[in-house]
Amino acid sequence: MGNIMDATVTIMGSDRPGSDWGAALVAGLMGCLLLALGVPRLVAAVQSLDARSVVWSVYAGVKVSSETLGQAVTGLVTADAWVRDGERAGDISLLLVHQALLAATPAEQAPLWEAAEAAAVSALSVAPGQPGVWARLAEVRERRGNREGAVAALRMSMLSGSFVPALMVPRIEQGLRLLPALDRDTRELLKRQLRLTWVANPAFVVAISARPDGGPLVREALAELNDSELKQFQRVHGTAP
């Protein structure tokens, strides 16, 4: 009987005051840890609150002044200093791109393009699966004259999200501008973008096919259409191509 009682005490825990103090200490330490982890996120959320509405306005195509963009960037940078966040850093790059587009002279634009590239790189170092940020990085690098870097970022944009309707037309346009610099694998990815876009938006691809810079690649891409892509076209448009 004594052995059974001893085992029960071992399993259920002792009623001694020391055991209660130990449990309270552990609970207190856990509470402090949770508080320490939660406070930076709360501060970051508060710091970025006003900037979020500016980001939404930019995404919606609403005109925003350079001053407002700058204030939003400051808020997001302050928030990111508390807790690094890939999406937030991507938004910083977005706002900096729009600030650069509003700048009056190349001299004023240059530091903004540089900062936009750094913010995009930072965002992708935390969360690399962002095709939109890769596409933005490709755009910024092209504007800064770094064609090789632009090609690398464009490739990653297509690899991280091949079918993203909002990105596909800009990616094709940029791919055609950079076509002489594309390696074989990236060229194949661009051809796949053309086929995917042809299924979703055939009028755009037809228009590209009439252009000297796009016609040969479009014909090459469409010549490689497979049965799955042809059937998908028929499902989308209700008719065979």
Side-chain angles (χ1 to χ4, degrees), residues 53-230:
S53 63
V54 179
V55 172
W56 294 332
S57 294
V58 170
Y59 275 120
V62 177
K63 290 184 178 180
V64 181
S65 70
S66 182
E67 182 181 2
T68 300
L69 290 168
Q71 291 170 349
V73 167
T74 299
L76 293 178
V77 168
T78 303
D80 217 47
W82 283 89
V83 178
R84 288 192 70 195
D85 181 271
E87 183 179 351
R88 186 188 301 121
D91 289 338
I92 292 171
S93 73
L94 171 72
L95 298 181
L96 287 166
V97 163
H98 280 263
Q99 259 196 300
L101 292 172
L102 291 175
T105 66
E108 292 174 350
Q109 290 177 340
L112 293 168
W113 289 129
E114 182 179 1
E117 180 173 356
V121 170
S122 176
L124 294 165
S125 71
V126 178
Q130 301 186 78
V133 180
W134 281 113
R136 190 176 307 125
L137 179 59
E139 175 194 353
V140 172
R141 284 178 170 173
E142 184 184 6
R143 286 180 177 275
R144 300 190 72 204
N146 181 2
R147 289 170 63 84
E148 183 178 346
V151 168
L154 177 63
R155 173 183 172 82
M156 288 303 300
S157 179
M158 293 187 287
L159 285 173
S160 59
S162 60
F163 192 86
V164 183
L167 297 178
M168 293 164 77
V169 168
R171 287 195 296 210
I172 289 171
E173 292 285 10
Q174 184 177 38
L176 292 175
R177 291 194 302 272
L178 298 173
L179 194 56
L182 301 189
D183 58 31
R184 190 180 73 171
D185 289 343
T186 307
R187 195 171 188 274
E188 291 300 315
L189 289 172
L190 182 60
K191 285 160 60 177
R192 183 164 186 260
Q193 284 289 285
L194 282 164
R195 291 194 296 273
L196 290 171
T197 305
W198 175 78
V199 171
N201 185 3
F204 169 75
V205 177
V206 169
I208 289 288
S209 70
R211 288 167 31 182
D213 64 332
L217 191 68
V218 169
R219 288 189 287 273
E220 188 179 332
L222 296 185
E224 298 171 5
L225 283 163
N226 57 41
D227 289 342
S228 175
E229 290 164 334
L230 290 169

Side-chain angles (χ1 to χ4, degrees), residues 42-51 71-72 74-76 78-80 82:
L42 177 61
V43 173
V46 171
Q47 291 290 340
S48 62
L49 192 59
D50 291 339
Q71 291 170 349
T74 299
L76 293 178
T78 303
D80 217 47
W82 283 89

